[in-house]
Amino acid sequence: MDTTTATTASINLSLFLFTFSLLTTQALHSQFSTTYTKHCNHIIPQSQISLTPTRSTRSHALRISSSFYINPTNSSIQSDSSSTSSSFYFAPRNIRSTIAEGVFSIEAYVTVKAPIISSRAINFALQGFWSENSKRLCMVGTNFLLKLTYPNSRNLSVFDCLVKGVLVTLDDDSSVSILGVAKFDDENYQFMLSNANACENVVVNDDGGGNLPLDNVNKEFCSPNSIRIDAFELDYGNECRNVSCDVPGVGYLPKFMIYKTLNCVDNRKFQMLLGFRNSSHVGGSFQFDPRSVLIAEGKWDQKKNQICAVACRIMNYTHSLENAVVGDCSVRLSLRSPAVWSIKHRSSVMGQIWSNKTSSEQGYFGNIGFHNSRRSYYIPPSVKYEYANTENVTRSCEKFKTDKGVNKYPRADSANLRFDMFVKNSKGQRARGFASPLFVGDRFYQFVRQNPSSVKVNISYQLVMHPFPNFEFGTQTLTEKIKIASEGSYASDTGVMCMQGCRHLEQNFDCDIVISIKFSPLYSKDGEQPPIKGTIKSTRKTSDPLYFKSLELSSSSIYTNQAKAAIWRMDLEITMVLISNSLACVFIVLQLFHVRKHENVLSHISLTMLVSLALAHMIPLLLNFDAMFKKNHSRQNAFLGGGGWLEVNEIIVRVITMFAFLLQVRLLQLSWSARNQENDCFWGFERKVLYVALPLYICGGLMTWLVHHFLKPSSYSRRNLRRVFNKSHLRKKISLWVSLRSYGGLILDGFLLPQILLNIFSDSTQQEHPLAMPFYVGITLVRMLPHAYDLYRAHSSMAYLDASFIYANPKMDLYSTAWDIIIPCGGFLLAILIFLQQRYGGRSVLPKRFRQGPVYEKVPPLGGEELQGEKNFFNL
């Protein structure tokens, strides 16, 4: 009966859901039909979906190759392309044929970024129909209407690639005009401009090294089944001083040209979009703006191994996007991939852009060079590097103290030669950046495998610096990044690198720069010094405008072997923490069993001691509470983390620490309750403990403050002050809070002191053993083990990451060779005193004259006659 009822209920629920879904679908379809009939039926009549499969238009044929440009209808367009433009992205999907010939049902997603429509980007779905015969599209959605008209020509070309339309907001009937560029199938598009002799009568500066053939650079110009977008930095030469070099005609000189491949046929014919702006940020999309965009066609020149292209402007768009056309194809473009790189030319793709007009014609501009502003992800192995005379540079380099043959330094093919850096000028102002090898010998850095016998090799570098505010570089105060291309030699037996540097200026190069770098040994234990240091100097005269004072270079990176050692050390420290906290839990449990068996000793345990032990577990929990919830705690965790395993171990450590804390609180609660129930005199003894212990603790805190305030950081323990691999990698003065926390660790190391004082004041007898021996000996061992480990770590490991301490953290206790000996000796001395007190009595540890407590003389009771005499006396 129950099974039948359940089955019936399940069937009824399924029928309800099916009916609800069917009614909802019909309602939505009815709403779509009503809206579409009102706004679009006169453009493309609505038709039913065909049940018979027929040829359908592929979705990318309707996809706009770039974002649309939006402008309010009947509004003129500003000529300044630097103003914020609006755009939206149109992505068709679910294209299905209908019973009407040449009509297809289409669903699409649209993303709009237009302040005139919304203050933020909005996404919405559209549904409608596309007519293959009229090349028109009409779609409706929630509160939106979209109408697009595609080029309707049998012979599609660059002059027929514009898509025009309107986007209407239905609730207020406002509209915006739309302009975009369509992507066509290969068989429907005809290359008309690529047949022109675009590169005729132009001198291409190839430095005599030639260019790579198409087979080697195909990934640079045409990526199969994908659209390539890249940014090129424009190089305005001396010619631009006398003539205009405003290519798009926007009234200023853009810094970058954005290149987008629309189509490539047989890897030899290309359709491209060229955008000009002041930002190199691509972001995965091409911002289409008719004011600063050119549409180009090109082909591969087999003889010169380069792409020669013709670019056209978009015209007649100022008053209405509906009137926009493609014309004025007077712009020429060449793209090539150099086969030989040098200190002045080290881009995987470079080229030129010029006008075939005469200087007297409107729209003429001078010859402009360009190169890709970011290093390409693909460098052909056939690329070679040509060095200048590196021997002359060696004479100008700084002389470092070397220990040839004594230590081992990074090899030229190792990842240690790529490093982050900090640069400081003579005024102490800083810049951060990175240095990365480009070529080692004549091979690209990633392809190099150094011969062990080759000690000194030629090497080329790229140095990039990002100045902090008000950074003075020579006579200038720079805010933009500084790029220095360099080449020279590196000796892997001494770790010394000497290079000549060239800084790319607007119209030339400053190559009077010498860069000297000294790498520290791979297995150096000197944690106070950065692993890499050097200088950047100008060899010009001090009166030269390009002269700058020497810059100090230092590393903020670590070697790979140091990183591996740090990871191994962190794994070991995590194990040590797990063992220590687990042992602490065991010892506390043994103490709980002891007081359960001997309940009378609970009031004899010092509450001050128990509170300090509870704080010893609580403070790490509070300081690292975010480790249980956050995935990325710090920069070091991000660098050293291995798939989240480090974070998992940290959480396990916190859980065990929490368990030890709860056990300690339970012991404190039992002792507190026992005293309240007995209402004995031990509360008075506990106050005496505080009267003695608190002044001692306060005096120690004052001494810590005095040392921190009046002594320099170098007066502290050297290993307490290591700040090797933080952002400045320089030694910093530690904060007062860190010093007080370290002093707090010293107090916790002496946790037995309050119990010793309580035993003395209460004069505990030999029969009273408030602490179990495994408890006070075991906890003492747990507190002393970090100091023993710190001695091992100091004499066996290399420089380490300061923020990666997990066990024996110098911020939580006092660690140095002296403290690591003094503190364990003091801790074991306190444990011995507890043993003697519980064996021979609380005051057995004092000198004999202090062992005897207050002595009270017994007075015999008064007799009857004496009492009667006193009574008569008071009656007088």
Side-chain angles (χ1 to χ4, degrees):
M1 184 67 179
D2 294 339
T3 304
T4 305
T5 304
T7 304
T8 304
S10 177
I11 294 174
N12 292 336
L13 179 61
S14 300
L15 289 175
F16 171 76
L17 293 176
F18 174 77
T19 304
F20 178 78
S21 175
L22 182 62
L23 293 175
T24 303
T25 303
Q26 290 179 349
L28 293 176
H29 180 71
S30 176
Q31 181 181 2
F32 161 74
S33 298
T34 303
T35 307
Y36 186 87
T37 300
K38 179 180 179 180
H39 298 284
C40 293
N41 210 52
H42 64 285
I43 300 175
I44 306 173
Q46 186 176 357
S47 180
Q48 295 182 356
I49 304 299
S50 175
L51 300 178
T52 304
T54 59
R55 181 181 63 86
S56 63
T57 302
R58 288 182 293 177
S59 62
H60 73 78
L62 297 176
R63 190 185 303 272
I64 304 304
S65 61
S66 65
S67 61
F68 284 99
Y69 176 78
I70 301 178
N71 195 66
T73 305
N74 300 324
S75 176
S76 61
I77 300 177
Q78 299 177 359
S79 60
D80 182 12
S81 64
S82 63
S83 60
T84 303
S85 61
S86 302
S87 60
F88 79 86
Y89 306 92
F90 174 75
R93 68 183 187 94
N94 293 340
I95 300 180
R96 294 172 292 180
S97 57
T98 66
I99 60 177
E101 184 178 357
V103 177
F104 297 86
S105 173
I106 297 180
E107 296 178 4
Y109 281 120
V110 173
T111 300
V112 179
K113 297 179 180 179
I116 56 179
I117 296 178
S118 175
S119 58
R120 57 184 178 86
I122 58 175
N123 302 288
F124 53 89
L126 295 175
Q127 185 179 356
F129 292 91
W130 153 261
S131 174
E132 195 173 44
N133 298 324
S134 63
K135 304 298 182 185
R136 301 187 71 180
L137 175 71
C138 192
M139 306 183 75
V140 295
T142 305
N143 197 34
F144 287 102
L145 166 65
L146 174 64
K147 301 177 184 179
L148 293 179
T149 302
Y150 284 73
N152 190 3
S153 175
R154 293 184 178 181
N155 299 321
L156 297 174
S157 66
V158 66
F159 302 104
D160 305 306
C161 62
L162 296 181
V163 180
K164 305 170 185 177
V166 63
L167 178 67
V168 181
T169 305
L170 297 179
D171 58 354
D172 58 4
D173 204 28
S174 61
S175 63
V176 292
S177 299
I178 296 173
L179 182 66
V181 177
K183 175 179 172 61
F184 300 105
D185 295 336
D186 298 343
E187 61 271 15
N188 296 332
Y189 187 83
Q190 293 185 358
F191 288 86
M192 300 180 64
L193 303 177
S194 59
N195 296 325
N197 296 324
C199 295
E200 188 178 3
N201 300 326
V202 63
V203 178
V204 178
N205 183 18
D206 61 0
D207 297 333
N211 302 322
L212 294 176
L214 181 62
D215 295 338
N216 292 345
V217 299
N218 184 42
K219 293 182 180 180
E220 291 290 347
F221 299 127
C222 183
S223 300
N225 302 322
S226 65
I227 297 176
R228 181 178 179 84
I229 303 177
D230 205 349
F232 294 91
E233 188 172 349
L234 296 174
D235 302 322
Y236 297 100
N238 295 328
E239 187 178 352
C240 294
R241 295 180 178 179
N242 303 321
V243 298
S244 172
C245 286
D246 183 5
V247 180
V250 292
Y252 63 94
L253 296 183
K255 295 181 180 180
F256 297 94
M257 180 183 74
I258 310 300
Y259 168 95
K260 177 179 180 179
T261 303
L262 292 181
N263 202 359
C264 54
V265 179
D266 299 329
N267 294 331
R268 293 188 179 275
K269 292 185 177 181
F270 305 87
Q271 183 187 13
M272 302 163 282
L273 285 180
L274 308 176
F276 296 85
R277 61 189 188 191
N278 284 330
S279 173
S280 62
H281 178 69
V282 175
S285 62
F286 185 93
Q287 295 182 1
F288 182 80
D289 190 332
R291 298 169 293 185
S292 59
V293 168
L294 305 180
I295 304 174
E297 286 184 3
K299 69 175 181 179
W300 182 259
D301 188 334
Q302 191 70 29
K303 295 182 180 180
K304 297 181 179 181
N305 285 331
Q306 64 180 359
I307 292 179
C308 294
V310 177
C312 305
R313 306 177 189 274
I314 301 176
M315 309 175 68
N316 299 336
Y317 59 81
T318 305
H319 299 291
S320 175
L321 294 179
E322 186 67 26
N323 300 327
V325 294
V326 177
D328 187 10
C329 300
S330 61
V331 181
R332 300 294 184 264
L333 178 81
S334 68
L335 281 168
R336 61 189 181 90
S337 184
V340 178
W341 290 17
S342 65
I343 192 171
K344 294 183 179 180
H345 301 92
R346 45 174 60 186
S347 298
S348 58
V349 178
M350 58 176 53
Q352 295 169 264
I353 184 170
W354 68 97
S355 174
N356 70 342
K357 293 183 177 181
T358 62
S359 58
S360 59
E361 292 183 273
Q362 184 179 3
Y364 172 83
F365 58 89
N367 196 326
I368 304 171
F370 59 83
H371 63 276
N372 53 343
S373 58
R374 294 175 295 179
R375 181 181 296 181
S376 174
Y377 295 104
Y378 173 75
I379 303 295
S382 56
V383 173
K384 303 297 181 182
Y385 192 92
E386 187 177 83
Y387 293 89
N389 188 2
T390 58
E391 294 298 330
N392 294 332
V393 182
T394 307
R395 302 187 187 98
S396 303
C397 276
E398 184 176 345
K399 304 302 180 182
F400 293 101
K401 182 179 178 181
T402 59
D403 49 2
K404 187 175 181 180
V406 177
N407 291 308
K408 188 176 181 180
Y409 294 90
R411 290 161 52 99
D413 60 346
S414 69
N416 295 322
L417 266 67
R418 182 191 295 114
F419 57 90
D420 295 331
M421 64 180 181
F422 282 85
V423 179
K424 182 175 67 173
N425 61 16
S426 59
K427 293 186 177 181
Q429 298 166 335
R430 302 183 183 277
R432 60 180 178 85
F434 66 91
S436 178
L438 196 61
F439 278 78
V440 177
D442 61 349
R443 298 295 304 275
F444 187 60
Y445 174 64
Q446 295 179 351
F447 304 144
V448 171
R449 292 297 180 267
Q450 183 185 3
N451 186 349
S453 62
S454 59
V455 176
K456 189 174 183 179
V457 295
N458 291 333
I459 194 168
S460 64
Y461 255 78
Q462 180 73 21
L463 281 72
V464 178
M465 296 178 286
H466 299 272
F468 291 142
N470 301 321
F471 183 80
E472 292 187 9
F473 188 82
T475 58
Q476 297 177 313
T477 300
L478 300 180
T479 57
E480 298 182 352
K481 64 181 178 181
I482 305 170
K483 293 182 179 180
I484 300 179
S486 59
E487 63 181 22
S489 61
Y490 171 68
S492 57
D493 59 339
T494 60
V496 175
M497 183 181 296
C498 181
M499 298 183 294
Q500 175 191 7
C502 280
R503 187 164 67 98
H504 188 196
L505 305 177
E506 292 183 358
Q507 298 177 352
N508 53 14
F509 291 87
D510 174 17
C511 293
D512 295 324
I513 300 174
V514 174
I515 302 172
S516 306
I517 299 177
K518 177 66 169 69
F519 292 81
S520 64
L522 286 173
Y523 302 99
S524 173
K525 294 183 180 181
D526 188 5
E528 296 295 330
Q529 297 295 331
I532 303 169
K533 60 181 179 180
T535 58
I536 303 175
K537 295 182 178 180
S538 174
T539 58
R540 294 176 179 268
K541 296 181 179 180
T542 55
S543 59
D544 195 298
L546 296 179
Y547 171 81
F548 59 89
K549 293 183 179 180
S550 177
L551 303 176
E552 294 182 9
L553 179 152
S554 54
S555 167
S556 58
S557 302
I558 63 174
Y559 291 150
T560 54
N561 62 310
Q562 293 174 337
K564 293 178 181 178
I567 293 174
W568 179 87
R569 179 185 58 77
M570 292 174 68
D571 291 337
L572 174 63
E573 291 186 3
I574 289 175
T575 304
M576 296 290 291
V577 172
L578 291 174
I579 294 174
S580 298
N581 288 346
S582 300
L583 288 176
C585 292
V586 172
F587 297 142
I588 297 173
V589 169
L590 291 177
Q591 177 66 19
L592 289 173
F593 286 147
H594 175 74
V595 299
R596 183 177 181 181
K597 187 176 181 180
H598 307 281
E599 295 183 356
N600 60 311
V601 302
L602 279 172
S603 59
H604 295 260
I605 301 177
S606 172
L607 296 180
T608 305
M609 179 193 69
L610 295 180
V611 169
S612 65
L613 289 176
L615 290 176
H617 297 293
M618 184 183 71
I619 292 176
L621 288 174
L622 294 178
L623 295 178
N624 300 279
F625 190 70
D626 60 339
M628 304 182 69
F629 303 100
K630 295 183 180 180
K631 295 182 179 179
N632 297 320
H633 321 316
S634 64
R635 180 174 60 91
Q636 285 76 14
N637 275 8
F639 174 72
L640 297 172
W645 183 245
L646 178 61
E647 288 79 2
V648 172
N649 286 334
E650 287 182 346
I651 292 177
I652 294 175
V653 169
R654 307 307 167 206
V655 171
I656 297 179
T657 305
M658 176 71 77
F659 184 63
F661 170 70
L662 295 177
L663 290 175
Q664 196 67 57
V665 170
R666 174 58 178 167
L667 183 59
L668 175 62
Q669 184 262 333
L670 290 175
S671 181
W672 189 288
S673 300
R675 289 196 182 180
N676 287 334
Q677 292 174 2
E678 297 177 10
N679 195 20
D680 55 21
C681 60
F682 274 88
W683 284 113
F685 296 145
E686 193 71 41
R687 283 193 295 270
K688 293 181 179 180
V689 170
L690 292 176
Y691 293 156
V692 175
L694 281 181
L696 289 176
Y697 295 155
I698 293 174
C699 289
L702 291 175
M703 292 181 62
T704 302
W705 176 80
L706 290 174
V707 172
H708 175 87
H709 185 72
F710 291 104
L711 295 185
K712 297 181 179 179
S714 57
S715 301
Y716 285 86
S717 164
R718 290 181 66 191
R719 282 184 287 118
N720 276 2
L721 294 175
R722 287 186 179 180
R723 299 291 185 268
V724 182
F725 302 116
N726 57 10
K727 287 188 176 181
S728 67
H729 75 268
L730 299 174
R731 296 176 63 189
K732 295 180 179 179
K733 186 173 182 179
I734 59 178
S735 65
L736 178 61
W737 169 242
V738 173
S739 299
L740 292 177
R741 271 182 9 194
S742 298
Y743 170 68
L746 177 63
I747 294 177
L748 295 176
D749 290 334
F751 72 97
L752 288 175
L753 178 61
Q755 184 64 46
I756 293 174
L757 295 175
L758 182 65
N759 291 341
I760 292 175
F761 291 131
S762 63
D763 192 17
S764 59
T765 63
Q766 302 176 18
Q767 290 78 22
E768 298 165 350
H769 293 167
L771 301 182
M773 180 178 291
F775 175 76
Y776 67 83
V777 174
I779 297 298
T780 299
L781 285 173
V782 169
R783 294 295 308 178
M784 299 305 114
L785 275 178
H787 294 278
Y789 170 76
D790 186 65
L791 282 174
Y792 159 77
R793 180 173 61 189
H795 293 86
S796 63
S797 64
M798 299 176 295
Y800 42 82
L801 295 175
D802 178 73
S804 66
F805 288 115
I806 298 176
Y807 190 67
N809 189 346
K811 295 180 180 179
M812 302 300 295
D813 207 337
L814 297 176
Y815 292 98
S816 69
T817 302
W819 283 117
D820 290 340
I821 296 175
I822 295 174
I823 292 177
C825 291
F828 287 121
L829 176 62
L830 295 179
I832 292 174
L833 293 178
I834 289 290
F835 172 78
L836 294 175
Q837 286 181 327
Q838 297 193 157
R839 187 175 181 88
Y840 301 108
R843 295 179 182 172
S844 62
V845 297
L846 298 177
K848 289 185 177 181
R849 60 177 178 175
F850 297 113
R851 292 180 186 177
Q852 187 66 33
V855 178
Y856 299 94
E857 183 180 356
K858 290 186 177 181
V859 179
L862 298 176
E865 296 180 357
E866 294 175 343
L867 291 174
Q868 184 64 33
E870 291 183 1
K871 182 177 180 182
N872 297 333
F873 175 78
F874 285 109
N875 290 333
L876 293 178

